[in-house]
mmCIF file of all heavy atoms in Angstrom:
data_model
loop_
_atom_site.group_PDB
_atom_site.id
_atom_site.type_symbol
_atom_site.label_atom_id
_atom_site.label_comp_id
_atom_site.label_asym_id
_atom_site.label_seq_id
_atom_site.Cartn_x
_atom_site.Cartn_y
_atom_site.Cartn_z
ATOM 1 N N VAL A 224 -61.713 76.028 -26.022
ATOM 2 C CA VAL A 224 -61.025 75.661 -27.266
ATOM 3 C C VAL A 224 -61.546 76.547 -28.409
ATOM 4 O O VAL A 224 -60.789 76.936 -29.304
ATOM 5 C CB VAL A 224 -61.257 74.160 -27.581
ATOM 6 C CG1 VAL A 224 -60.665 73.783 -28.921
ATOM 7 C CG2 VAL A 224 -60.658 73.298 -26.485
ATOM 8 N N ASN A 225 -62.843 76.871 -28.361
ATOM 9 C CA ASN A 225 -63.437 77.772 -29.360
ATOM 10 C C ASN A 225 -63.897 79.058 -28.660
ATOM 11 O O ASN A 225 -65.094 79.260 -28.464
ATOM 12 C CB ASN A 225 -64.660 77.131 -30.028
ATOM 13 C CG ASN A 225 -64.379 75.772 -30.597
ATOM 14 O OD1 ASN A 225 -63.251 75.439 -30.912
ATOM 15 N ND2 ASN A 225 -65.413 74.967 -30.738
ATOM 16 N N ARG A 230 -63.407 85.471 -30.993
ATOM 17 C CA ARG A 230 -64.075 85.673 -32.279
ATOM 18 C C ARG A 230 -64.694 87.059 -32.387
ATOM 19 O O ARG A 230 -64.625 87.699 -33.428
ATOM 20 C CB ARG A 230 -65.163 84.611 -32.474
ATOM 21 C CG ARG A 230 -65.941 84.748 -33.773
ATOM 22 C CD ARG A 230 -66.828 83.559 -34.031
ATOM 23 N NE ARG A 230 -68.050 83.566 -33.265
ATOM 24 C CZ ARG A 230 -69.175 84.155 -33.658
ATOM 25 N NH1 ARG A 230 -69.210 84.806 -34.793
ATOM 26 N NH2 ARG A 230 -70.259 84.102 -32.915
ATOM 27 N N GLN A 235 -59.446 92.757 -31.621
ATOM 28 C CA GLN A 235 -58.535 91.584 -31.635
ATOM 29 C C GLN A 235 -57.640 91.583 -30.407
ATOM 30 O O GLN A 235 -56.424 91.363 -30.492
ATOM 31 C CB GLN A 235 -57.697 91.559 -32.904
ATOM 32 C CG GLN A 235 -58.542 91.489 -34.151
ATOM 33 C CD GLN A 235 -57.727 91.285 -35.415
ATOM 34 O OE1 GLN A 235 -56.535 91.086 -35.380
ATOM 35 N NE2 GLN A 235 -58.385 91.340 -36.547
ATOM 36 N N PHE A 237 -57.913 89.583 -27.882
ATOM 37 C CA PHE A 237 -57.752 88.252 -27.282
ATOM 38 C C PHE A 237 -56.830 87.394 -28.135
ATOM 39 O O PHE A 237 -56.821 87.503 -29.371
ATOM 40 C CB PHE A 237 -59.111 87.549 -27.156
ATOM 41 C CG PHE A 237 -59.974 88.139 -26.080
ATOM 42 C CD1 PHE A 237 -60.819 89.204 -26.354
ATOM 43 C CD2 PHE A 237 -59.928 87.649 -24.783
ATOM 44 C CE1 PHE A 237 -61.606 89.759 -25.369
ATOM 45 C CE2 PHE A 237 -60.714 88.201 -23.788
ATOM 46 C CZ PHE A 237 -61.555 89.269 -24.081
ATOM 47 N N ARG A 238 -56.082 86.548 -27.477
ATOM 48 C CA ARG A 238 -55.251 85.578 -28.179
ATOM 49 C C ARG A 238 -55.220 84.291 -27.381
ATOM 50 O O ARG A 238 -55.529 84.292 -26.182
ATOM 51 C CB ARG A 238 -53.831 86.116 -28.366
ATOM 52 C CG ARG A 238 -53.115 86.391 -27.063
ATOM 53 C CD ARG A 238 -51.885 87.209 -27.306
ATOM 54 N NE ARG A 238 -50.724 86.348 -27.443
ATOM 55 C CZ ARG A 238 -49.485 86.811 -27.530
ATOM 56 N NH1 ARG A 238 -49.242 88.099 -27.526
ATOM 57 N NH2 ARG A 238 -48.474 86.007 -27.633
ATOM 58 N N LYS A 239 -54.870 83.225 -28.047
ATOM 59 C CA LYS A 239 -54.816 81.926 -27.354
ATOM 60 C C LYS A 239 -53.404 81.389 -27.517
ATOM 61 O O LYS A 239 -52.942 81.185 -28.646
ATOM 62 C CB LYS A 239 -55.844 80.979 -27.979
ATOM 63 C CG LYS A 239 -56.095 79.715 -27.180
ATOM 64 C CD LYS A 239 -57.309 79.005 -27.751
ATOM 65 C CE LYS A 239 -57.508 77.641 -27.145
ATOM 66 N NZ LYS A 239 -57.923 77.672 -25.751
ATOM 67 N N ARG A 240 -52.731 81.196 -26.405
ATOM 68 C CA ARG A 240 -51.348 80.712 -26.463
ATOM 69 C C ARG A 240 -51.325 79.242 -26.888
ATOM 70 O O ARG A 240 -52.340 78.566 -26.918
ATOM 71 C CB ARG A 240 -50.695 80.822 -25.069
ATOM 72 C CG ARG A 240 -50.630 82.224 -24.545
ATOM 73 C CD ARG A 240 -49.609 82.416 -23.468
ATOM 74 N NE ARG A 240 -49.375 81.298 -22.563
ATOM 75 C CZ ARG A 240 -48.344 81.252 -21.720
ATOM 76 N NH1 ARG A 240 -47.461 82.234 -21.695
ATOM 77 N NH2 ARG A 240 -48.189 80.237 -20.896
ATOM 78 N N ARG A 241 -50.105 78.766 -27.165
ATOM 79 C CA ARG A 241 -49.996 77.365 -27.607
ATOM 80 C C ARG A 241 -50.321 76.379 -26.489
ATOM 81 O O ARG A 241 -50.549 75.205 -26.757
ATOM 82 C CB ARG A 241 -48.594 77.092 -28.148
ATOM 83 C CG ARG A 241 -48.406 77.712 -29.513
ATOM 84 C CD ARG A 241 -47.084 77.370 -30.099
ATOM 85 N NE ARG A 241 -46.859 78.138 -31.314
ATOM 86 C CZ ARG A 241 -45.717 78.175 -31.958
ATOM 87 N NH1 ARG A 241 -44.681 77.504 -31.507
ATOM 88 N NH2 ARG A 241 -45.590 78.898 -33.036
ATOM 89 N N SER A 261 -70.624 88.155 -25.051
ATOM 90 C CA SER A 261 -70.546 86.988 -25.933
ATOM 91 C C SER A 261 -70.194 85.702 -25.201
ATOM 92 O O SER A 261 -70.504 84.615 -25.659
ATOM 93 C CB SER A 261 -69.507 87.233 -27.027
ATOM 94 O OG SER A 261 -68.218 87.330 -26.451
ATOM 95 N N TRP A 309 -55.907 67.705 -23.129
ATOM 96 C CA TRP A 309 -55.632 66.705 -24.172
ATOM 97 C C TRP A 309 -55.102 65.397 -23.579
ATOM 98 O O TRP A 309 -55.215 64.355 -24.198
ATOM 99 C CB TRP A 309 -54.615 67.208 -25.192
ATOM 100 C CG TRP A 309 -55.027 68.408 -25.995
ATOM 101 C CD1 TRP A 309 -54.202 69.407 -26.410
ATOM 102 C CD2 TRP A 309 -56.321 68.758 -26.501
ATOM 103 N NE1 TRP A 309 -54.901 70.351 -27.121
ATOM 104 C CE2 TRP A 309 -56.195 69.976 -27.195
ATOM 105 C CE3 TRP A 309 -57.572 68.172 -26.414
ATOM 106 C CZ2 TRP A 309 -57.278 70.602 -27.805
ATOM 107 C CZ3 TRP A 309 -58.649 68.801 -27.013
ATOM 108 C CH2 TRP A 309 -58.490 69.980 -27.699
ATOM 109 N N ARG A 321 -69.730 67.575 -17.701
ATOM 110 C CA ARG A 321 -70.838 68.346 -17.137
ATOM 111 C C ARG A 321 -71.209 67.805 -15.785
ATOM 112 O O ARG A 321 -70.934 66.656 -15.472
ATOM 113 C CB ARG A 321 -72.068 68.239 -18.039
ATOM 114 C CG ARG A 321 -71.961 68.932 -19.346
ATOM 115 C CD ARG A 321 -73.110 68.498 -20.211
ATOM 116 N NE ARG A 321 -74.364 68.630 -19.473
ATOM 117 C CZ ARG A 321 -75.289 69.520 -19.770
ATOM 118 N NH1 ARG A 321 -75.126 70.327 -20.774
ATOM 119 N NH2 ARG A 321 -76.394 69.589 -19.073
ATOM 120 N N ILE A 326 -76.705 73.966 -16.520
ATOM 121 C CA ILE A 326 -76.820 73.977 -17.975
ATOM 122 C C ILE A 326 -75.640 74.778 -18.481
ATOM 123 O O ILE A 326 -75.514 75.965 -18.218
ATOM 124 C CB ILE A 326 -78.135 74.606 -18.437
ATOM 125 C CG1 ILE A 326 -79.262 73.651 -18.093
ATOM 126 C CG2 ILE A 326 -78.101 74.911 -19.923
ATOM 127 C CD1 ILE A 326 -80.475 73.727 -18.939
ATOM 128 N N LEU A 328 -73.706 75.217 -22.085
ATOM 129 C CA LEU A 328 -73.573 74.825 -23.479
ATOM 130 C C LEU A 328 -72.104 74.604 -23.778
ATOM 131 O O LEU A 328 -71.264 75.395 -23.406
ATOM 132 C CB LEU A 328 -74.151 75.916 -24.376
ATOM 133 C CG LEU A 328 -75.631 76.172 -24.152
ATOM 134 C CD1 LEU A 328 -76.106 77.306 -25.012
ATOM 135 C CD2 LEU A 328 -76.446 74.943 -24.413
ATOM 136 N N GLN A 329 -71.827 73.517 -24.471
ATOM 137 C CA GLN A 329 -70.433 73.097 -24.652
ATOM 138 C C GLN A 329 -69.880 73.430 -26.032
ATOM 139 O O GLN A 329 -68.809 72.969 -26.379
ATOM 140 C CB GLN A 329 -70.339 71.586 -24.428
ATOM 141 C CG GLN A 329 -70.881 71.123 -23.096
ATOM 142 C CD GLN A 329 -69.859 71.249 -21.996
ATOM 143 O OE1 GLN A 329 -68.742 70.791 -22.115
ATOM 144 N NE2 GLN A 329 -70.241 71.905 -20.919
ATOM 145 N N ILE A 330 -70.596 74.234 -26.796
ATOM 146 C CA ILE A 330 -70.149 74.493 -28.163
ATOM 147 C C ILE A 330 -68.806 75.231 -28.187
ATOM 148 O O ILE A 330 -68.008 75.033 -29.095
ATOM 149 C CB ILE A 330 -71.258 75.228 -28.947
ATOM 150 C CG1 ILE A 330 -72.319 74.193 -29.309
ATOM 151 C CG2 ILE A 330 -70.732 75.895 -30.205
ATOM 152 C CD1 ILE A 330 -73.571 74.726 -29.863
ATOM 153 N N ARG A 332 -66.486 74.574 -26.252
ATOM 154 C CA ARG A 332 -65.550 73.576 -25.721
ATOM 155 C C ARG A 332 -64.768 74.114 -24.526
ATOM 156 O O ARG A 332 -63.545 74.288 -24.599
ATOM 157 C CB ARG A 332 -64.582 73.109 -26.803
ATOM 158 C CG ARG A 332 -65.257 72.497 -27.991
ATOM 159 C CD ARG A 332 -65.286 70.999 -27.929
ATOM 160 N NE ARG A 332 -66.184 70.455 -28.935
ATOM 161 C CZ ARG A 332 -66.767 69.278 -28.847
ATOM 162 N NH1 ARG A 332 -66.575 68.520 -27.804
ATOM 163 N NH2 ARG A 332 -67.559 68.841 -29.787
ATOM 164 N N TYR R 1469 -51.502 77.693 -36.122
ATOM 165 C CA TYR R 1469 -52.145 77.854 -34.815
ATOM 166 C C TYR R 1469 -52.021 79.311 -34.365
ATOM 167 O O TYR R 1469 -53.002 79.923 -33.917
ATOM 168 C CB TYR R 1469 -51.471 76.920 -33.793
ATOM 169 C CG TYR R 1469 -52.086 76.970 -32.406
ATOM 170 C CD1 TYR R 1469 -53.031 76.037 -32.005
ATOM 171 C CD2 TYR R 1469 -51.713 77.951 -31.492
ATOM 172 C CE1 TYR R 1469 -53.596 76.080 -30.738
ATOM 173 C CE2 TYR R 1469 -52.278 78.004 -30.230
ATOM 174 C CZ TYR R 1469 -53.215 77.068 -29.854
ATOM 175 O OH TYR R 1469 -53.775 77.125 -28.600
ATOM 176 N N ASP R 1470 -50.808 79.864 -34.495
ATOM 177 C CA ASP R 1470 -50.589 81.246 -34.059
ATOM 178 C C ASP R 1470 -51.450 82.227 -34.858
ATOM 179 O O ASP R 1470 -52.009 83.166 -34.300
ATOM 180 C CB ASP R 1470 -49.108 81.609 -34.207
ATOM 181 C CG ASP R 1470 -48.250 80.870 -33.190
ATOM 182 O OD1 ASP R 1470 -48.833 80.324 -32.228
ATOM 183 O OD2 ASP R 1470 -47.022 80.819 -33.358
ATOM 184 N N TYR R 1473 -55.238 81.714 -33.878
ATOM 185 C CA TYR R 1473 -55.586 82.087 -32.500
ATOM 186 C C TYR R 1473 -54.997 83.448 -32.127
ATOM 187 O O TYR R 1473 -54.835 83.734 -30.947
ATOM 188 C CB TYR R 1473 -55.130 81.013 -31.515
ATOM 189 C CG TYR R 1473 -56.072 79.833 -31.437
ATOM 190 C CD1 TYR R 1473 -55.675 78.567 -31.823
ATOM 191 C CD2 TYR R 1473 -57.377 79.986 -30.961
ATOM 192 C CE1 TYR R 1473 -56.528 77.483 -31.750
ATOM 193 C CE2 TYR R 1473 -58.235 78.912 -30.883
ATOM 194 C CZ TYR R 1473 -57.811 77.660 -31.275
ATOM 195 O OH TYR R 1473 -58.673 76.582 -31.195
ATOM 196 N N ASN R 1474 -54.656 84.236 -33.152
ATOM 197 C CA ASN R 1474 -54.186 85.605 -32.879
ATOM 198 C C ASN R 1474 -52.925 85.650 -32.036
ATOM 199 O O ASN R 1474 -52.655 86.654 -31.377
ATOM 200 C CB ASN R 1474 -55.279 86.343 -32.087
ATOM 201 C CG ASN R 1474 -55.871 87.447 -32.882
ATOM 202 O OD1 ASN R 1474 -55.368 87.768 -33.946
ATOM 203 N ND2 ASN R 1474 -56.937 88.030 -32.366
ATOM 204 N N ASN R 1475 -52.181 84.561 -32.023
ATOM 205 C CA ASN R 1475 -51.077 84.436 -31.072
ATOM 206 C C ASN R 1475 -49.757 84.934 -31.694
ATOM 207 O O ASN R 1475 -48.841 84.160 -31.929
ATOM 208 C CB ASN R 1475 -50.967 82.963 -30.643
ATOM 209 C CG ASN R 1475 -50.001 82.776 -29.511
ATOM 210 O OD1 ASN R 1475 -49.808 83.671 -28.685
ATOM 211 N ND2 ASN R 1475 -49.357 81.621 -29.450
ATOM 212 N N ASP R 1477 -47.074 88.681 -31.986
ATOM 213 C CA ASP R 1477 -46.822 89.993 -31.397
ATOM 214 C C ASP R 1477 -46.920 91.130 -32.412
ATOM 215 O O ASP R 1477 -47.366 92.211 -32.084
ATOM 216 C CB ASP R 1477 -45.448 90.000 -30.710
ATOM 217 C CG ASP R 1477 -45.459 89.082 -29.498
ATOM 218 O OD1 ASP R 1477 -46.497 89.044 -28.819
ATOM 219 O OD2 ASP R 1477 -44.467 88.373 -29.266
ATOM 220 N N ASN R 1531 -55.983 71.113 -32.743
ATOM 221 C CA ASN R 1531 -56.924 70.623 -31.726
ATOM 222 C C ASN R 1531 -57.825 69.505 -32.248
ATOM 223 O O ASN R 1531 -59.049 69.556 -32.147
ATOM 224 C CB ASN R 1531 -57.790 71.770 -31.203
ATOM 225 C CG ASN R 1531 -56.973 72.801 -30.487
ATOM 226 O OD1 ASN R 1531 -55.863 72.525 -30.023
ATOM 227 N ND2 ASN R 1531 -57.484 74.011 -30.385
ATOM 228 N N THR R 1583 -54.989 88.680 -41.137
ATOM 229 C CA THR R 1583 -55.205 88.965 -39.715
ATOM 230 C C THR R 1583 -56.668 88.794 -39.292
ATOM 231 O O THR R 1583 -56.978 88.888 -38.108
ATOM 232 C CB THR R 1583 -54.732 90.395 -39.375
ATOM 233 O OG1 THR R 1583 -55.301 91.287 -40.331
ATOM 234 C CG2 THR R 1583 -53.228 90.491 -39.392
ATOM 235 N N LYS R 1593 -65.652 76.725 -36.720
ATOM 236 C CA LYS R 1593 -65.799 75.749 -35.627
ATOM 237 C C LYS R 1593 -67.203 75.795 -35.033
ATOM 238 O O LYS R 1593 -67.783 74.765 -34.705
ATOM 239 C CB LYS R 1593 -64.742 76.030 -34.542
ATOM 240 C CG LYS R 1593 -63.350 75.609 -34.997
ATOM 241 C CD LYS R 1593 -62.395 75.506 -33.853
ATOM 242 C CE LYS R 1593 -62.100 76.852 -33.263
ATOM 243 N NZ LYS R 1593 -61.198 76.774 -32.121
ATOM 244 N N GLU R 1597 -69.822 72.707 -34.935
ATOM 245 C CA GLU R 1597 -70.471 72.229 -33.702
ATOM 246 C C GLU R 1597 -71.989 72.298 -33.831
ATOM 247 O O GLU R 1597 -72.694 71.341 -33.491
ATOM 248 C CB GLU R 1597 -70.027 73.071 -32.499
ATOM 249 C CG GLU R 1597 -68.540 73.000 -32.192
ATOM 250 C CD GLU R 1597 -68.117 71.673 -31.590
ATOM 251 O OE1 GLU R 1597 -68.992 70.910 -31.172
ATOM 252 O OE2 GLU R 1597 -66.909 71.399 -31.576
ATOM 253 N N LEU R 1598 -72.480 73.439 -34.327
ATOM 254 C CA LEU R 1598 -73.935 73.587 -34.448
ATOM 255 C C LEU R 1598 -74.498 72.625 -35.494
ATOM 256 O O LEU R 1598 -75.586 72.089 -35.320
ATOM 257 C CB LEU R 1598 -74.294 75.027 -34.819
ATOM 258 C CG LEU R 1598 -74.095 76.067 -33.710
ATOM 259 C CD1 LEU R 1598 -74.398 77.461 -34.230
ATOM 260 C CD2 LEU R 1598 -74.979 75.785 -32.509
ATOM 261 N N PHE R 1610 -71.298 78.850 -41.742
ATOM 262 C CA PHE R 1610 -71.668 79.779 -40.676
ATOM 263 C C PHE R 1610 -72.704 80.789 -41.159
ATOM 264 O O PHE R 1610 -73.639 81.096 -40.437
ATOM 265 C CB PHE R 1610 -70.420 80.505 -40.164
ATOM 266 C CG PHE R 1610 -70.678 81.349 -38.951
ATOM 267 C CD1 PHE R 1610 -70.797 80.770 -37.699
ATOM 268 C CD2 PHE R 1610 -70.819 82.724 -39.059
ATOM 269 C CE1 PHE R 1610 -71.048 81.541 -36.575
ATOM 270 C CE2 PHE R 1610 -71.063 83.503 -37.936
ATOM 271 C CZ PHE R 1610 -71.177 82.911 -36.695
ATOM 272 N N ALA R 1624 -75.974 80.974 -20.390
ATOM 273 C CA ALA R 1624 -76.600 79.671 -20.196
ATOM 274 C C ALA R 1624 -77.825 79.751 -19.293
ATOM 275 O O ALA R 1624 -78.844 79.109 -19.537
ATOM 276 C CB ALA R 1624 -75.582 78.702 -19.623
ATOM 277 N N LEU R 1627 -80.805 81.032 -21.121
ATOM 278 C CA LEU R 1627 -81.348 80.019 -22.025
ATOM 279 C C LEU R 1627 -82.177 79.001 -21.259
ATOM 280 O O LEU R 1627 -83.251 78.595 -21.682
ATOM 281 C CB LEU R 1627 -80.211 79.310 -22.774
ATOM 282 C CG LEU R 1627 -79.433 80.161 -23.776
ATOM 283 C CD1 LEU R 1627 -78.261 79.372 -24.334
ATOM 284 C CD2 LEU R 1627 -80.336 80.591 -24.917
ATOM 285 N N ASP R 1711 -78.599 71.269 -25.536
ATOM 286 C CA ASP R 1711 -78.267 70.869 -24.182
ATOM 287 C C ASP R 1711 -78.183 69.359 -24.054
ATOM 288 O O ASP R 1711 -77.235 68.813 -23.507
ATOM 289 C CB ASP R 1711 -79.353 71.416 -23.252
ATOM 290 C CG ASP R 1711 -78.833 71.509 -21.851
ATOM 291 O OD1 ASP R 1711 -77.665 71.874 -21.698
ATOM 292 O OD2 ASP R 1711 -79.583 71.183 -20.922
ATOM 293 N N GLU R 1717 -72.888 63.466 -24.858
ATOM 294 C CA GLU R 1717 -71.707 63.417 -25.720
ATOM 295 C C GLU R 1717 -70.646 62.516 -25.115
ATOM 296 O O GLU R 1717 -70.438 62.516 -23.924
ATOM 297 C CB GLU R 1717 -71.164 64.828 -25.845
ATOM 298 C CG GLU R 1717 -70.316 65.035 -27.035
ATOM 299 C CD GLU R 1717 -69.808 66.451 -27.054
ATOM 300 O OE1 GLU R 1717 -69.972 67.141 -26.055
ATOM 301 O OE2 GLU R 1717 -69.251 66.841 -28.051
#
Side-chain angles (χ1 to χ4, degrees):
Chain A
V224 175
N225 307 336
R230 179 170 78 88
Q235 300 187 6
F237 288 88
R238 62 194 266 187
K239 192 169 172 70
R240 299 200 326 168
R241 286 184 188 171
S261 66
W309 297 145
R321 290 168 50 111
I326 289 207
L328 299 177
Q329 305 276 309
I330 284 170
R332 301 263 168 204
Chain R
Y1469 182 97
D1470 290 345
Y1473 280 116
N1474 247 351
N1475 189 29
D1477 293 323
N1531 296 338
T1583 50
K1593 287 196 292 178
E1597 297 288 346
L1598 289 176
F1610 187 78
L1627 292 174
D1711 202 39
E1717 201 181 11

